[in-house]
């Protein structure tokens, strides 16, 4: 047995020094290649530009049909496809280059005897809440209706159904000139000479490597010839005491972890290669949530009340989260936000007395719209819809925010769509920004389809919480405080403004939105990103506004921001840890 002071005495220092120096005795480098044909490997800059074809480019994603309640409902099939957000990121880049694109969804494996295929086909149109009303009015089996509701969140005008169990590579679609099918092919990982390395105590070198392969199949319209190009992204690491003099100067490969795996990095590299940006170095950028967890493309809330696929391009993303909310922002896709609010006894009482629809609208007006109008008085709801058939009651509205322009007697209008519903003891609120150039005529349809595109990416995990009884004495005391002097109210407003001005675009506090309150940090910060409104001076006069471009700052440091998890800590105080 080792003596009791073995790990705390000089031996501990020796072991630590040994490991430290050995970790610095290595050289490593990234290995990237593209294979335009079997047996041929070229450096990425010499590879072909796949997305240069004229006409409309159609990117195809495949979905294996599974009925609700099936044993293998969550089975993804034998084709490890690139996720839909990856395709949307490619389309965004091509849109900036004025290239027409479409995202085709192929749902295959539908039984030929399926009795409600006609009802599924009827969903092939622009998404709206009206489809859920039509589904609820169907006179079919309730289990089949659940399956239709499941696909109603996914199916749009560019979705097609196939009865074959084989993935359709040769399906011809009107107004498609070039088809692109993207797949993750395989992974290779191994170590060479590891035994001799250990026997020689690190003198004989060992090499470890890892490779990830992605394949793109392309086909011209009305042609049967498929062209496939394979991309390889990997690294090589050589470790030996003989490399001690290098002291990590030639160590190019970063250290990866669960927050940002090497596989995640290779997907980012693959996306940049398709965008023809492979000649530029791709730095390591990690999304560092304070409360929740990110694994691959998925974010999990710290409260375990929801999970979501990250709905923006992670390469340019900013994230801010709390225990009950998360916000994602990038300059192209805009702001996406999810929040869970625990329902208190007062809300439950109002629902019983006034009904769910009226209570939900009053709650949103009081806690969200009125607070926005406090900073931007010309703002308001321009379109709203209540769908009793979707998630047992969903209230969706479009908010127009009129921001005063600096030095002008004009307002810049920005649009956001909000959608909320109640599940067990939580009210969930989803919101996202809309393009500012959208016309008022097309805005209602765009808002509905945009928020319905967001819903399928989120998995809601509501819980029942025993509501706390409302203390009438405390409620009366709070009422007297709310009716106090104007000076107290102004002071509170000043404190709120100071807090909001320090919030990151994407906002979110630790637990402030836990019970009956809506967190507006992300939205307010985004609205204030470029225009600073002087406190209590809402009149529009030249010189009253100033530009402030440094809105994306690390979070404020207070005790509630530190959330340590077993075996994993993060340095929140370092700005380098936050993605720019």
């Amino acid at each position: 047995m080792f003596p009791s002071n073995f790990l705390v005495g000089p031996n501990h220092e020796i072991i630590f020094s040994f490991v430290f120096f050995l970790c610095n005795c290595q050289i490593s480098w990234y290995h990237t290649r593209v294979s335009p044909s079997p047996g041929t490997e070229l450096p990425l800059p010499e590879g072909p530009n796949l997305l240069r074809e004229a006409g409309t480019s159609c990117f195809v994603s495949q979905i294996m049909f599974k009925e609700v309640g099936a044993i293998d409902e969550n089975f993804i099939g034998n084709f490890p496809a690139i996720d839909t957000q990856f395709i949307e990121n490619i389309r965004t880049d091509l849109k900036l280059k004025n290239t027409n694109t479409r995202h085709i969804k192929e749902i295959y494996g539908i039984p030929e005897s399926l009795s409600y295929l006609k009802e599924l086909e009827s969903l092939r149109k622009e998404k709206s809440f009206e489809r859920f009303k039509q589904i609820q009015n169907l006179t079919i089996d309730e289990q089949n209706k659940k399956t239709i509701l499941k696909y109603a969140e996914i199916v749009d005008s560019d979705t097609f159904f196939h009865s074959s169990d084989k993935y359709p590579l040769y399906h011809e679609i009107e107004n498609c000139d070039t088809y692109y099918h993207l797949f993750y092919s395989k992974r290779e990982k191994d170590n060479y000479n590891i035994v001799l390395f250990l026997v020689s105590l690190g003198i004989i070198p060992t090499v470890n490597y890892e490779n990830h392969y992605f394949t793109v199949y392309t086909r011209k319209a009305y042609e049967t010839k498929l062209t496939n190009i394979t991309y390889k992204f990997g690294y090589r690491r050589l470790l030996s005491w003989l490399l001690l003099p290098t002291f990590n100067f030639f160590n190019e490969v970063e250290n990866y972890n669960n927050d940002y795996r090497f596989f995640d990095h290779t997907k980012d590299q693959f996306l940049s290669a398709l965008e023809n940006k492979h000649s530029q170095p791709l730095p390591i950028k990690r999304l560092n949530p304070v409360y929740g967890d990110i694994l691959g493309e998925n974010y999990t809330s710290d409260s375990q009340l929801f999970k979501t696929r990250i709905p923006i391009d992670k390469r340019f993303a900013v994230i801010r989260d709390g225990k009950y909310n998360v916000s994602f922002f990038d300059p192209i896709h805009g702001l996406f936000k999810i929040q869970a609010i625990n329902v208190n006894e007062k809300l439950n009482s109002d629902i019983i007395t006034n009904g769910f629809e009226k209570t939900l609208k009053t709650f949103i007006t009081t806690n969200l719209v009125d607070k926005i109008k406090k900073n931007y008085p010309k703002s308001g709801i321009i379109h709203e819809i209540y769908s009793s058939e979707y998630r047992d009651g969903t209230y969706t509205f479009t908010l127009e925010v009129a921001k005063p322009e600096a030095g002008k007697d004009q307002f810049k209008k920005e649009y956001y769509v909000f959608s909320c519903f109640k599940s067990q003891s939580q009210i969930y609120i989803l919101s996202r920004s809309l393009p500012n150039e959208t016309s008022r005529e097309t805005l209602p349809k765009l808002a509905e389809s945009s928020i319905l595109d967001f819903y399928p990416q989120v998995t809601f995990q509501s819980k029942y919480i025993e509501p706390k009884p409302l203390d009438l004495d405390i409620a009366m005391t709070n009422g007297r405080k709310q009716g106090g002097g104007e000076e107290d109210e102004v002071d509170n407003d000043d404190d709120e403004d100071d807090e909001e001005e320090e919030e990151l675009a994407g906002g979110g506090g630790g637990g402030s939105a836990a019970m009956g309150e809506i967190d507006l940090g992300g939205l307010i910060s985004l609205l204030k990103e470029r225009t600073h409104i002087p406190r209590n001076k809402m009149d529009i006069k030249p010189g009253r506004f100033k530009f402030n471009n440094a809105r994306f700052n690390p979070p404020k440091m207070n005790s509630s921001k530190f959330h340590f998890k077993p075996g994993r800590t993060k340095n929140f105080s370092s700005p380098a840890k936050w993605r720019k």
Side-chain angles (χ1 to χ4, degrees), residues 67-69 73 116 135-136 140-152:
E67 294 186 272
V68 172
E73 180 181 354
Y116 50 92
I135 294 173
Q136 292 295 351
I140 61 174
D141 182 74
E142 287 299 320
Q143 191 67 19
N144 295 340
K145 190 179 292 186
K146 290 180 181 179
T147 302
I148 299 176
L149 286 170
K150 168 187 173 180
Y151 286 98

Side-chain angles (χ1 to χ4, degrees), residues 47-86:
N49 182 6
L50 276 180
L51 309 182
R52 69 184 187 279
E53 302 294 343
T56 301
S57 299
C58 291
F59 295 88
V60 184
S61 60
Q62 61 278 359
I63 303 170
M64 188 72 171
F65 178 79
K66 296 295 179 184
E67 294 186 272
V68 172
I71 297 177
D72 56 347
E73 180 181 354
N74 297 320
F75 179 64
I76 62 173
N78 297 320
F79 299 93
I82 300 298
D83 59 88
T84 55
Q85 185 59 45
F86 187 94

Side-chain angles (χ1 to χ4, degrees), residues 275-417:
E275 295 173 349
N276 202 27
K277 300 174 183 175
H278 43 254
S279 59
Q280 303 174 5
L282 188 63
I284 304 297
K285 291 186 177 181
R286 294 177 172 89
L287 289 176
N288 283 318
V290 178
Y291 288 88
D293 283 302
I294 287 180
L295 181 60
E297 312 298 326
N298 300 298
Y299 169 88
T300 302
S301 167
D302 181 66
S303 62
Q304 300 296 319
L305 291 176
F306 63 86
K307 297 180 180 179
T308 181
R309 295 191 68 81
I310 298 175
I312 56 177
D313 194 333
K314 292 200 304 181
R315 297 173 301 167
F316 314 110
V318 177
I319 183 176
R320 187 70 181 273
D321 72 333
K323 284 182 66 67
Y324 300 90
N325 57 74
V326 64
S327 299
F328 305 97
F329 175 82
D330 75 23
I332 300 175
H333 297 91
L335 176 69
F336 290 76
K337 186 161 186 171
I338 307 168
Q339 183 175 3
I341 300 173
N342 290 330
V343 177
N344 56 25
E345 181 64 24
K346 184 180 183 304
L347 277 174
N348 279 326
S349 176
D350 290 344
I351 291 173
I352 296 173
T353 304
N354 303 320
F356 180 65
E357 179 179 356
K358 183 178 179 181
T359 302
L360 195 56
K361 289 183 178 181
T362 303
F363 175 75
I364 291 297
T365 301
T366 304
N367 292 278
L368 193 152
V369 179
D370 288 349
K371 290 183 179 180
I372 295 294
K373 293 181 72 173
K374 183 178 178 180
N375 289 321
Y376 306 95
K378 299 291 185 180
S379 305
I381 294 175
I382 59 175
H383 173 259
E384 62 181 349
I385 181 174
Y386 180 80
S387 174
S388 59
E389 296 82 13
Y390 186 56
R391 297 185 180 272
D392 296 324
T394 303
Y395 176 50
T396 304
F397 63 93
T398 305
L399 182 68
E400 180 185 72
V401 181
K403 293 174 55 177
E405 294 196 50
K408 298 180 181 180
D409 294 336
Q410 297 178 351
F411 292 87
K412 178 183 178 182
K413 295 181 179 179
E414 298 184 3
Y415 301 100
Y416 300 85
V417 57

Side-chain angles (χ1 to χ4, degrees), residues 27 34 55 58 157 169 223 324 331 347 357 359 381 438 501 506 516 521:
I27 59 176
V34 57
C58 291
S157 56
L169 284 171
E223 292 184 3
Y324 300 90
L347 277 174
E357 179 179 356
T359 302
I381 294 175
T438 308
E501 288 176 4

Side-chain angles (χ1 to χ4, degrees), residues 432-474:
R432 61 177 296 182
S433 54
L434 297 173
N436 296 334
E437 63 274 8
T438 308
S439 65
R440 290 287 292 267
E441 292 76 18
T442 59
L443 194 61
K445 289 185 177 180
L446 176 64
E448 287 190 40
S449 62
S450 297
I451 201 66
L452 284 174
D453 284 338
F454 190 15
Y455 264 109
Q457 302 186 56
V458 186
T459 302
F460 303 98
Q461 300 171 313
S462 59
K463 303 175 183 178
Y464 177 74
I465 300 175
E466 188 70 30
K468 297 180 180 179
L470 187 64
D471 192 323
L472 295 181
D473 293 335
I474 295 177

Side-chain angles (χ1 to χ4, degrees), residues 370-371 374-375 478-498 535-536:
D370 288 349
K371 290 183 179 180
K374 183 178 178 180
N375 289 321
N478 290 338
R480 287 195 295 269
K481 288 183 178 180
Q482 291 176 1
E486 294 182 0
E487 294 182 0
D488 294 338
E489 185 177 349
V490 172
D491 292 340
N492 291 336
D493 294 343
D494 292 350
D495 294 339
E496 289 177 3
D497 288 341
D498 290 340
R535 191 174 302 126
N536 297 331

Side-chain angles (χ1 to χ4, degrees), residues 204-274:
I204 299 177
T206 181
V207 178
N208 63 75
Y209 75 93
E210 185 173 346
N211 295 323
H212 293 270
Y213 294 82
F214 300 86
T215 303
V216 181
Y217 294 90
T218 62
R219 180 176 68 87
K220 287 285 190 180
Y222 303 104
E223 292 184 3
T224 57
K225 180 182 178 182
L226 277 175
T227 301
N228 67 294
I229 298 178
T230 301
Y231 291 82
K232 178 171 73 173
F233 302 94
Y235 69 81
R236 308 289 185 265
R237 182 178 280 117
L238 180 65
L239 189 66
S240 171
W241 276 110
L242 300 177
L243 300 174
L244 178 62
T246 62
F247 277 99
N248 256 358
F249 286 117
F250 303 99
N251 187 19
E252 180 183 345
V253 178
E254 296 278 347
N255 292 320
Y256 298 93
N257 54 31
N258 281 336
D259 286 337
Y260 192 74
R261 303 165 299 179
F262 179 63
F263 172 68
D264 302 323
H265 189 200
T266 61
K267 287 187 67 175
D268 290 344
Q269 288 181 303
F270 179 45
L271 181 57
S272 294
L274 293 176

